[in-house]
Amino acid sequence: MIKKAWVLALALFLALFLAACSGGDEESSSEADETGGDTEQSAEGSEGEDSGETAMAEDQSLTVNIKTEPPSLHPGKATDTTSGAVLYQTFEGLTRVDQEGEPQPAMASDIEVSDDKLTYTFTIRDGVTWSNGDPITAQDFADSWKWVLNPDSPDTDYAYQMYPIKGAEAAKTGEGSLDDVGITAEDDQTLVVELRNPTPYFLELTAFYTFFPFNQSTAENNDEWAAEAGDDYVSNGPFLMETWKHKNQIVLKKNPDYWDADNVNLESITMEMVDDENTAKNMYDQGELDWIGDPTDSVPLAAIPQMKQDGTLNISPMAGTYYYSFNTEKEPFTNANIRKAFALSLNREAIVKNITKGEEEPGMALVPSAVWEENSEGYFNDGDVEKAKEYLETGLEEMGLDELPTIKLSYNTDEGHAAIAQAAQDMWKENLGAEVELNNEEWNVYLDSMSEGNYQVGRMGWLADFLDPINFLEIFETVGGNNYTNWENDEYASLLEESRSETDEAARKELLREAEQLFMDEMPIAPVYFYSNVYAHKDYVKDVSVSNLGNIQYKWGYIAEH
């Protein structure tokens, strides 16, 4: 049950929202994740629009909002959904996830898998070229992947996605050689990849942006090739980057030399960087934006009820978790009982019912229910204030404290994140007696603060890169990368490692469940809710694919006559 004082605070807060919306102006709750984290989905696959027999308009231009400057448009360095939203259009890997959510041959025309599931042989398509005219070869893939695995390569936080490959982890940690990694270009068109263990989701990984190739000759001549649009931004996807006005706008144009260009209808995609939700919603209402909401933008919190009633809102579940990360190296969150107290004292049901309103599911686990259905119940009771107070008392005693110090709760600038943070602030004050200061920062600055450990509690989220629980669990296997908690545990890491060589699916799941139980006992994060995709688009926007992994692809999209 929600305490009366919190209800009154929430009512006042929402009243302010509604007042700000009078006259048609509405506000937007944002999901620019992050950690791959990175920015939502359903376990069934992608959601696209059925084109039927609708005729195409003469003008095939689409305008969307990505809210903020992409932190990196280098495939090997990117870790967030904003960057991914651009990279999935401008680059392509050996496979691409189709509109049904299945990986299909892309840069590879043929894929052979050995009987023991350890060797993958990819045949590069005939005649595929980079945007500068260079042929795309198997060596480009081998060199790009090994660049990510090179311990001297900077900002490669997603290198661990390649660890299913034989020798990859040893090379990245400096304990082995890049020469021993199981990636071999046998000739210009044949790439052979050897895995250390069978990995059923490997073809999904090869569709992920960390596995995209990049032009080696360009990169050798210019370390900053991915920092600007221009001749050096050489890519191989269905769209090319025509202009990049930093912190303002990116414009993509159709790539006429893309191997599947006949199935690409859009001629241009303008990506605005409008961080203010009211402004973006006004632009949508005035026809200046064709799409609003996930995965690259947000639907205004106050707009959601009316848009639901109008039938203009699309909502689907997503394999992702919104959570608060505890910095386990900053007191008082060095103590597991204190962390549990803060986690259990949140009323998630109130947050999703009264603030987000996007049919999100209260989250009491790390792995979302779209991946593990049983996690709808989770590992603790939502809003268990009495148990939280017990944990608090124990934690304070263990730390020799009489009361909690002032806590700083950080989040990246966004209406939705601010609203949830204010609710958490009130709940922690009322339920635990905690004084909580709020701190918001622009996305790129915020990521730096989190990675440098300059925070106590910080908002974060994770959208699945592939539909397997290990994609969530392995984030916290070691400190660094996307693990901002600074928590690690040898037993936890051992369970994950054992799961990687377990071929019996039931036994593997048991190992992963045991790992998640250990994680939730330690509580280095406070899960808040499992994501949903919430978006709207103009009726004339057809066949844009919104993945249950929180990705968006414009390859098949088009503008209908209107």
Side-chain angles (χ1 to χ4, degrees):
M1 179 177 290
I2 309 173
K3 298 289 187 180
K4 182 177 180 181
W6 193 84
V7 171
L8 293 173
L10 179 61
L12 176 60
F13 187 75
L14 292 179
L16 291 173
F17 276 170
L18 293 171
C21 291
S22 61
D25 295 341
E26 300 181 84
E27 306 174 64
S28 175
S29 105
S30 159
E31 215 27 82
D33 217 43
E34 329 189 29
T35 53
D38 95 284
T39 10
E40 293 110 4
Q41 64 253 340
S42 86
E44 271 74 46
S46 334
E47 180 177 332
E49 298 297 318
D50 183 5
S51 60
E53 300 299 322
T54 309
M56 291 189 191
E58 183 175 348
D59 182 5
Q60 290 296 314
S61 302
L62 179 73
T63 303
V64 301
N65 183 30
I66 60 172
K67 288 185 66 67
T68 187
E69 176 84 354
S72 177
L73 293 185
H74 186 311
K77 296 182 178 183
T79 62
D80 68 292
T81 54
T82 303
S83 301
V86 183
L87 290 169
Y88 281 120
Q89 325 314 323
T90 55
F91 282 85
E92 184 165 84
L94 295 165
T95 56
R96 178 178 286 269
V97 174
D98 66 15
Q99 291 148 300
E100 282 69 52
E102 296 297 326
Q104 301 294 345
M107 282 291 112
S109 59
D110 185 68
I111 303 168
E112 294 182 8
V113 184
S114 62
D115 291 340
D116 62 6
K117 311 297 187 199
L118 292 176
T119 303
Y120 286 68
T121 302
F122 299 91
T123 302
I124 306 301
R125 287 187 184 276
D126 289 332
V128 287
T129 63
W130 293 102
S131 56
N132 67 353
D134 291 346
I136 298 172
T137 67
Q139 193 65 51
D140 287 324
F141 281 90
D143 290 343
S144 299
W145 293 8
K146 288 186 177 182
W147 182 87
V148 173
L149 294 172
N150 189 327
D152 295 328
S153 295
D155 303 321
T156 52
D157 290 346
Y158 256 154
Y160 69 84
Q161 297 283 36
M162 294 186 174
Y163 287 179
I165 300 173
K166 178 181 174 182
E169 184 173 10
K172 188 62 179 177
T173 58
E175 298 176 0
S177 169
L178 284 169
D179 294 335
D180 296 329
V181 175
I183 304 169
T184 305
E186 292 194 342
D187 54 46
D188 283 350
Q189 286 190 274
T190 309
L191 181 73
V192 178
V193 183
E194 300 170 82
L195 306 186
R196 59 177 182 171
N197 298 301
T199 305
Y201 50 84
F202 186 65
L203 291 181
E204 290 182 70
L205 284 176
T206 57
F208 187 64
Y209 50 74
T210 308
F211 287 76
F212 290 171
F214 57 90
N215 187 275
Q216 296 300 303
S217 60
T218 300
E220 288 170 6
N221 292 324
N222 179 8
D223 288 342
E224 299 298 319
W225 66 270
E228 303 286 345
D231 292 342
D232 281 352
Y233 198 83
V234 178
S235 62
N236 70 324
F239 299 93
L240 307 175
M241 186 160 62
E242 184 172 44
T243 60
W244 182 0
K245 298 176 182 177
H246 292 283
K247 298 185 178 181
N248 185 338
Q249 182 190 80
I250 286 175
V251 177
L252 308 181
K253 65 177 181 179
K254 180 177 176 178
N255 180 0
D257 298 320
Y258 176 60
W259 70 272
D260 198 26
D262 288 348
N263 288 313
V264 178
N265 299 303
L266 292 172
E267 292 294 336
S268 70
I269 305 169
T270 300
M271 296 177 158
E272 303 288 358
M273 301 178 197
V274 179
D275 195 39
D276 181 78
E277 290 86 356
N278 291 317
T279 303
K281 180 60 165 61
N282 288 340
M283 291 173 67
Y284 180 77
D285 291 341
Q286 295 166 14
E288 297 172 23
L289 290 175
D290 300 313
W291 187 289
I292 188 170
D294 293 314
T296 64
D297 186 24
S298 314
V299 174
L301 289 177
I304 288 176
Q306 185 61 52
M307 294 178 74
K308 279 184 180 179
Q309 185 175 332
D310 294 343
T312 58
L313 199 65
N314 298 279
I315 299 178
S316 61
M318 180 189 299
T321 303
Y322 186 109
Y323 61 89
Y324 283 128
S325 173
F326 297 121
N327 187 343
T328 61
E329 291 184 348
K330 292 283 183 70
E331 291 188 354
F333 300 108
T334 53
N335 184 278
N337 284 309
I338 297 291
R339 300 194 294 264
K340 289 180 183 179
F342 275 75
L344 268 65
S345 60
L346 290 175
N347 188 328
R348 294 155 180 81
E349 185 72 21
I351 289 172
V352 301
K353 292 279 189 184
N354 298 311
I355 298 179
T356 60
K357 299 184 180 180
E359 299 181 14
E360 297 86 357
E361 181 180 357
M364 283 77 75
L366 168 60
V367 179
S369 58
V371 179
W372 267 344
E373 186 176 348
E374 53 265 52
N375 276 359
S376 288
E377 296 297 324
Y379 290 83
F380 56 87
N381 293 325
D382 182 27
D384 192 343
V385 176
E386 294 308 311
K387 190 68 174 176
K389 288 179 177 179
E390 292 177 16
Y391 282 129
L392 177 63
E393 183 178 353
T394 302
L396 289 174
E397 183 178 339
E398 289 171 344
M399 298 187 73
L401 297 174
D402 294 327
E403 60 182 14
L404 287 167
T406 299
I407 305 301
K408 181 178 286 188
L409 171 58
S410 300
Y411 57 94
N412 57 296
T413 304
D414 172 87
E415 178 205 70
H417 302 330
I420 295 169
Q422 289 170 29
Q425 179 187 43
D426 291 341
M427 292 172 184
W428 287 335
K429 171 66 174 177
E430 181 169 346
N431 298 332
L432 303 179
E435 296 294 335
V436 180
E437 296 178 354
L438 300 184
N439 173 57
N440 74 286
E441 296 174 329
E442 186 271 333
W443 179 234
N444 287 330
V445 175
Y446 182 73
L447 280 181
D448 289 341
S449 296
M450 294 291 287
S451 62
E452 292 166 6
N454 295 330
Y455 80 102
Q456 278 183 295
V457 185
R459 184 220 72 89
M460 193 47 67
W462 188 264
L463 306 181
D465 302 317
F466 50 91
L467 286 177
D468 191 279
I470 200 167
N471 185 228
F472 290 82
L473 296 165
E474 68 185 358
I475 302 168
F476 303 97
E477 189 168 1
T478 57
V479 169
N482 296 302
N483 179 6
Y484 302 115
T485 68
N486 293 311
W487 176 88
E488 59 185 359
N489 179 288
D490 289 342
E491 183 182 355
Y492 180 81
S494 178
L495 287 166
L496 296 188
E497 188 60 27
E498 188 178 351
S499 77
R500 293 186 175 103
S501 58
E502 179 55 70
T503 55
D504 180 84
E505 189 55 39
R508 176 178 181 266
K509 180 175 181 179
E510 184 58 34
L511 289 167
L512 296 177
R513 294 293 295 177
E514 188 177 344
E516 188 179 41
Q517 178 69 68
L518 189 157
F519 182 85
M520 298 307 297
D521 287 342
E522 288 282 311
M523 204 74 77
I525 70 166
V528 179
Y529 61 74
F530 301 142
Y531 280 112
S532 61
N533 277 315
V534 180
Y535 63 93
H537 59 78
K538 302 298 185 181
D539 291 342
Y540 51 75
V541 176
K542 305 292 184 181
D543 284 2
V544 171
S545 178
V546 179
S547 167
N548 60 353
L549 299 176
N551 301 327
I552 190 164
Q553 297 197 55
Y554 303 107
K555 173 180 174 177
W556 301 284
Y558 72 96
I559 305 298
E561 284 186 350
H562 59 282

